[in-house]
Amino acid sequence: KDVDVMASPLKPFLTSRPKIPPLPVDFGDRSVHRLHFNECPFPPSPAVTQAIAEAAGRLNHYPDAVWSDLTHAIATEWDWPQDRIICANGSDELLMMTGQLVLGPGDEAVAPGPCFANYPKSAAAQGATLIQVPVRHDGGIDIDATLAAITPRTKLVFVTTPMNPTGTLMQTAEFTRLAREIPDHALLVLDEAYYEFGRFEGGGDHLPALRDRSGPWIVLRTFSKAYALAGLRLGYALCGSEEVRTAFDQVRIGFNVNRLSQAGAAAALTDPGHTAMILENNKRERERMAGALTALWCRVLDSATNFIAAELPCASPTVVSALRAEADIWTQAIAYPGFENFIRISVGGPEDTDALLAAFPGILQRAL
Ligand code: PMP
């Protein structure tokens, strides 16, 4: 039977299907260089594996619906009130919940362009419009243009630091201005998925500026990056007020974080030595990669995170395909107008950098 697509209740989603096929997550037995998802190249701390094994013995019981042990561990780690933390199935879930909470048809959300793929999804799912504000030449968020893009219809503003996909760190003075000048009718979402890397580079703490903000706000962080737990799916939000924290209860499903994830994430915070090893490796390998690409006439944006964005002297999709086909190195081209020559490469372990640096010069030369 023919389906009338225009009459379908799925119409908004059928017409806004992503054009780019998703990149693979699993490669079976093949060992490839996974530099396309900003994952951590190392396995998690042994403390995590042990905690998960112990929690597995109690899988017949539902998990703690308010994540008590985990929020206690997070509250202690960042000196933040435990009753103003929300945990979720990755910060991805929090991004979707945020849209559900404040957006509806006709509303606007503001985000940098390019930005993380789930910001457009969060807005589109609610029938809202996402206004993307092009980043500066150095990859940083344009503060003036962001503020200028806000209208009376703006209900949500996404700010990312360190920024994905450019890697840049926002200065404290810049963020302070945003926190102060974004009007109270917009929920400010500060996405700090790469916070631990930024801090390791001397990046500032934005919570003091947020405490002075009169309007609503949340900060998003994750265990996916610096704690090597992308597969566990654990993100959390620090909420600016009790009101914001309670509002999230209206849109979230009960038991949204399973028992294994709660136990594993809390255990990750007990092993700061493991996180320090990850941060040190990341800085060393990122600097090797950035130095080599700069020497090859690429413009590498300043990165304070676990990936670099580089402008190549040619179109990046050709290079991304060749790296994949010739060296099993998986990277991403940045899909955004004006970024046709940009590649995003995650930082891996030393052997990933070695493979990249061996393959890159020849591939680049042939692509020119
Ligand atoms: N925000 C940004 C900016 C990201 O880059 C990512 C993951 N790549 C996320 C959020 C989602 O992270 P999580 O794994 O916690 O869902």
Side-chain angles (χ1 to χ4, degrees):
K1 174 167 155 309
D2 281 349
V3 177
D4 180 357
V5 168
M6 296 316 278
S8 164
L10 301 174
K11 188 182 138 229
F13 304 104
L14 296 171
T15 51
S16 65
R17 253 185 309 209
K19 291 170 214 67
I20 310 155
L23 287 163
V25 175
D26 277 314
F27 294 86
D29 292 339
R30 234 168 87 220
S31 131
V32 308
H33 301 285
R34 306 173 60 102
L35 306 183
H36 58 319
F37 283 141
N38 301 343
E39 298 164 338
C40 176
F42 303 108
S45 156
V48 170
T49 333
Q50 195 188 331
I52 289 178
E54 283 166 16
R58 297 190 304 281
L59 279 175
N60 52 321
H61 296 148
Y62 279 103
D64 182 345
V66 292
W67 336 276
S68 310
D69 292 347
L70 178 55
T71 51
H72 182 262
I74 295 169
T76 309
E77 183 74 7
W78 304 126
D79 191 18
W80 186 252
Q82 185 180 0
D83 59 4
R84 280 203 259 143
I85 301 171
I86 304 168
C87 297
N89 192 15
S91 33
D92 284 343
E93 189 190 11
L94 285 159
L95 287 168
M96 291 309 279
M97 280 160 63
T98 303
Q100 285 178 297
L101 197 60
V102 296
L103 296 177
D107 289 336
E108 290 172 3
V110 173
C115 69
F116 180 49
N118 281 341
Y119 304 169
K121 260 194 196 168
S122 171
Q126 307 308 320
T129 305
L130 185 76
I131 311 289
Q132 284 192 267
V133 179
V135 296
R136 302 182 310 226
H137 184 69
D138 65 1
I141 290 179
D142 187 330
I143 310 295
D144 289 328
T146 300
L147 290 169
I150 295 170
T151 74
R153 286 188 299 280
T154 308
K155 299 278 171 57
L156 186 54
V157 180
F158 295 107
V159 176
T160 325
T161 180
M163 173 58 182
N164 183 13
T166 61
T168 42
L169 191 66
M170 187 178 286
Q171 297 309 311
T172 308
E174 293 178 312
F175 184 74
T176 303
R177 225 189 113 201
L178 279 180
R180 196 175 47 225
E181 292 184 27
I182 290 172
D184 291 3
H185 60 75
L187 172 66
L188 168 57
V189 176
L190 174 63
D191 185 345
E192 291 190 323
Y194 302 93
Y195 171 74
E196 294 80 5
F197 299 99
R199 203 164 98 116
F200 195 66
E201 303 295 326
D205 177 3
H206 297 316
L207 288 172
L210 283 165
R211 284 199 185 96
D212 290 341
R213 172 173 164 74
S214 54
W217 58 267
I218 59 169
V219 171
L220 299 183
R221 293 193 188 157
T222 182
F223 283 85
S224 296
K225 311 292 179 183
Y227 301 97
L229 289 173
L232 199 73
R233 311 306 302 124
L234 205 306
Y236 59 96
L238 308 179
C239 301
S241 65
E242 188 54 41
E243 199 187 13
V244 173
R245 160 70 182 79
T246 317
F248 270 98
D249 281 339
Q250 308 306 313
V251 292
R252 78 176 178 90
I253 53 164
F255 310 122
N256 64 333
V257 179
N258 70 73
R259 208 170 249 286
L260 307 185
S261 297
Q262 293 192 36
L269 293 175
T270 66
D271 191 353
H274 193 75
T275 313
M277 179 279 289
I278 288 170
L279 296 174
E280 279 155 23
N281 167 83
N282 184 72
K283 186 175 173 66
R284 188 182 60 243
E285 297 307 315
R286 190 190 63 223
E287 284 174 359
R288 269 181 78 201
M289 207 157 76
L293 263 65
T294 305
L296 291 166
W297 298 285
C298 301
R299 183 170 72 95
V300 181
L301 302 183
D302 269 348
S303 167
T305 181
N306 67 343
F307 59 87
I308 58 165
E311 187 176 16
L312 310 181
C314 58
S316 59
T318 322
V319 174
V320 168
S321 308
L323 283 169
R324 202 180 287 177
E326 295 175 30
D328 244 338
I329 298 172
W330 291 71
T331 60
Q332 284 203 45
I334 298 181
Y336 192 73
F339 280 76
E340 291 77 9
N341 289 4
F342 276 80
I343 189 171
R344 194 193 73 181
I345 313 175
S346 311
V347 177
E351 64 296 339
D352 297 308
T353 318
D354 291 346
L356 182 83
L357 300 195
F360 204 84
I363 287 175
L364 191 62
Q365 199 169 31
R366 271 175 284 164
L368 283 173

